[in-house]
Amino acid sequence: MQGSKAQALDRWAEDQGRAMVRFDYSGHGESGGAFAEGTIGRWLDESLAVFGALCHGPQVVIGSSMGGWLALLMVRALARAPSRRRPVLPAWC
């Protein structure tokens, strides 16, 4: 994920001593796969898998454009899944 917003957030997180996870959905950016084979459901599943594997404790989820929509869907899915429930604050830009 090499967009200017993602890189700016990465620099801010580093300057603040905060961890940050960023990734491209399949078919986007540096990720493999064909964009035409992607769906919102698939990208949501990918987001939940990354979140579950790499994020612990309270989180701020940030997305831009379609990523903002996916961030909201992810927060909703996490709130509905008691086994994965974590405090999350959505944000978009």
Side-chain angles (χ1 to χ4, degrees):
M1 177 174 255
Q2 298 300 321
S4 60
K5 292 177 192 175
Q7 290 180 345
L9 284 167
D10 194 58
R11 284 190 301 275
W12 178 86
E14 184 176 353
D15 291 346
Q16 300 300 312
R18 298 185 180 272
M20 180 174 161
V21 175
R22 65 182 185 179
F23 63 95
D24 290 316
Y25 306 106
S26 60
H28 290 81
E30 297 181 27
S31 291
F35 176 80
E37 294 174 6
T39 64
I40 295 295
R42 179 179 180 174
W43 297 321
L44 174 59
D45 289 344
E46 292 170 0
S47 301
L48 291 167
V50 169
F51 187 89
L54 301 174
C55 300
H56 307 284
Q59 302 292 314
V60 176
V61 180
I62 300 172
S64 176
S65 189
M66 183 183 70
W69 174 240
L70 283 163
L72 292 172
L73 292 174
M74 190 172 77
V75 169
R76 183 179 73 175
L78 291 168
R80 290 179 174 176
S83 63
R84 295 190 301 200
R85 189 171 302 222
R86 297 182 182 140
V88 178
L89 172 67
W92 55 93
C93 48

